[in-house]
Structure formats: C-alpha cells, structure tokens
Amino acid sequence: MLKKSNNDDIKLFFGSLAIGGIVSVIVFVIYWEANKDIASEVLSPFFGNLFIASFCVFSVLPLSLLAYIVVYLLKNESIKTSIRLLANKFSTRQLTKNSEIIYPCLQAFVYETLKRNDILHIPVQDISSVNYIGYSVRQDCVFYRYGINLLEKPDYDDDLLKITLSRLFQSELKQYGVLGLPSIYKSVTAFCYSIYADRVFYDEDNHILLIDILYICTENSAIYYQNATKRDNNNHINMGDIYDDEV
C-alpha cells in the first residue's frame, strides 16, 4: 500500500510538472505572438531566446505547484464530497428560486379542485385544510408536498387515489386553470398540463393524506412528466378508465 501511494505521488508530481510546462509554453506563445514585433525591435535574437527560456523555466515551477495542489485536493474524498454538496446546493437554489410564488398557487389549486369535486369525498373546509409541508428535488425537478388531515383512510388505495386525483387536476386545469400560474406547459418538444400528482398516499400513523405535486415549468420537469405518465399507463392500463365519464 505504501509503495502504491508513493508511486501515485510521483505520477502526480510529474503529471503536474508536465501540465505546468505545457501551460507556460502556451501562455508564452500567445504573449509572444501578440508582442513579437515590439520584442524583435528591443531584443537581439540571443537575448530573445534567453528571455524565452527563462520565462518558461521560471513559470513552470509555480504553475506546476498550482496544478499539483489542485489535483491533490480533488483526490481528497472529503473535499470532493464538499464540492458535490456545494454544487447540489447551488443547483437546488436555482431550481427552487420561484418556489415562494408557486407553492401558494398550488395550495389554492388543490383546495379548489377538491372543493368542486366530490368523487374522492375528501373534506376541505377552507384553504388551510390543505397544508403545505415543503418541497423536495429529484431528477432536477421540484416536488411540492401537501397534507390533508383525515381521521379515516380514504376508500381508494394509493394507486387509485393518484389516478383519480391526476384526472381531477387535468379537468380543473382544462375548465378553470390555476390562479397565478400558467395551466399549460408548451415548448418545442412538449405540450402538457402544468400540474401532475406524482405521488398520493395515506399516512395511517399521522392520519394525513399526502400529495406530492410536480409543477411543470421546465424541460426537465416535462420530460419527467412524460416518462411518469408512460409508467402510469403501463402499470394501470385499465384502472384509470373507471372515472373517465365522472371526471
């Protein structure tokens, strides 16, 4: 193990030296090409060649050291993990920068949908009956979770709840839209309703119906929706047709 570690350090050292040398030559060539007319007037050929050699030698060392430090740090697992976490945090921040605008609109939409339809028999007294719990990020998509307190488990199982609620959402979007947000997502590659019930399940321990909603407003979310609906259709090819006429 010790021998392997030493060999890796030697390879890293000479690799860094090579990188530093290549970078220094490239930098000097670019600089020389931009200023060769002035340099040729000031320097004789001998001093010009000496200047080139000196520049390359003295620039190799700091550049090689810098390359060595960067590569060495990137080999450290804890640092690599920190970089990945930082990148994920930045990506999540970009994806959720409009969440403060989106989640209240979705909350009102779920409430209006359940209030206007009694197919699922889920009682909602007012908008506060639909509690916003938070969001999660998966596959570069943002999913908003809402909870409705229910003393008893719904009559349908989770799969049928999801299918029925998804169809109610589509019907609601078609007839009334969603206040404050576009009801349709349209791009060069996709055209679909903008709200999708990704997951619906009843938490028996806490007596709460949980609904994970995907708001489709990016190409990644549209691709996820297309794949998810294909999966839904394959898994429940006949189940969703039960409520076509009712919805």
Side-chain angles (χ1 to χ4, degrees):
M1 291 293 293
L2 183 60
K3 185 176 181 180
K4 185 178 184 302
S5 178
N6 290 336
N7 289 336
D8 289 343
D9 288 339
I10 293 172
K11 291 178 181 178
L12 178 60
F13 172 76
F14 283 106
S16 302
L17 199 62
I19 293 172
I22 293 171
V23 172
S24 66
V25 171
I26 292 173
V27 170
F28 181 79
V29 168
I30 294 172
Y31 176 81
W32 183 262
E33 286 297 319
N35 300 277
K36 62 181 179 181
D37 293 337
I38 299 174
S40 62
E41 295 177 2
V42 176
L43 300 174
S44 65
F46 172 78
F47 285 107
N49 293 332
L50 182 63
F51 175 72
I52 292 173
S54 300
F55 180 90
C56 291
V57 169
F58 287 109
S59 63
V60 164
L61 295 177
L63 289 172
S64 298
L65 179 62
L66 179 63
Y68 180 87
I69 293 172
V70 170
V71 175
Y72 182 82
L73 291 177
L74 290 177
K75 285 177 61 180
N76 188 294
E77 288 300 322
S78 62
I79 293 177
K80 287 167 65 175
T81 301
S82 298
I83 293 173
R84 283 195 296 267
L85 290 174
L86 185 62
N88 289 337
K89 184 177 181 180
F90 177 77
S91 176
T92 299
R93 184 179 300 172
Q94 290 297 109
L95 289 170
T96 59
K97 61 183 179 181
N98 295 320
S99 62
E100 295 296 322
I101 300 173
I102 294 174
Y103 87 79
C105 299
L106 295 180
Q107 182 182 23
F109 175 80
V110 174
Y111 165 69
E112 293 292 340
T113 300
L114 295 176
K115 185 182 70 172
R116 266 193 275 263
N117 298 276
D118 59 357
I119 293 174
L120 293 176
H121 306 292
I122 297 175
V124 285
Q125 302 300 322
D126 51 41
I127 194 171
S128 64
S129 301
V130 181
N131 301 305
Y132 173 64
I133 296 175
Y135 63 78
S136 61
V137 177
R138 291 183 281 113
Q139 299 183 36
D140 291 330
C141 301
V142 183
F143 299 85
Y144 299 88
R145 174 166 290 187
Y146 298 87
I148 302 172
N149 292 314
L150 297 176
L151 294 179
E152 296 182 358
K153 184 177 181 180
D155 296 332
Y156 309 132
D157 62 23
D158 293 344
D159 289 335
L160 194 51
L161 273 172
K162 174 183 173 179
I163 289 173
T164 307
L165 193 57
S166 294
R167 291 176 179 270
L168 286 175
F169 282 173
Q170 289 193 5
S171 177
E172 184 76 11
L173 288 169
K174 183 177 181 180
Q175 295 182 57
Y176 304 103
V178 50
L179 186 64
L181 296 173
S183 58
I184 296 290
Y185 175 78
K186 184 178 181 181
S187 70
V188 176
T189 59
F191 182 84
C192 58
Y193 288 110
S194 60
I195 296 177
Y196 170 65
D198 182 65
R199 189 184 181 200
V200 182
F201 62 100
Y202 183 70
D203 182 350
E204 295 189 33
D205 294 333
N206 297 302
H207 304 288
I208 184 171
L209 178 67
L210 296 171
I211 305 170
D212 288 351
I213 295 178
L214 171 67
Y215 179 65
I216 303 164
C217 58
T218 65
E219 200 65 21
N220 283 334
S221 57
I223 293 171
Y224 180 94
Y225 168 77
Q226 291 170 345
N227 293 333
T229 50
K230 288 178 183 177
R231 184 177 64 246
D232 293 344
N233 292 334
N234 290 335
N235 292 339
H236 312 287
I237 191 68
N238 296 317
M239 190 181 299
D241 297 333
I242 298 173
Y243 296 97
D244 279 348
D245 295 336
E246 295 180 74
V247 174

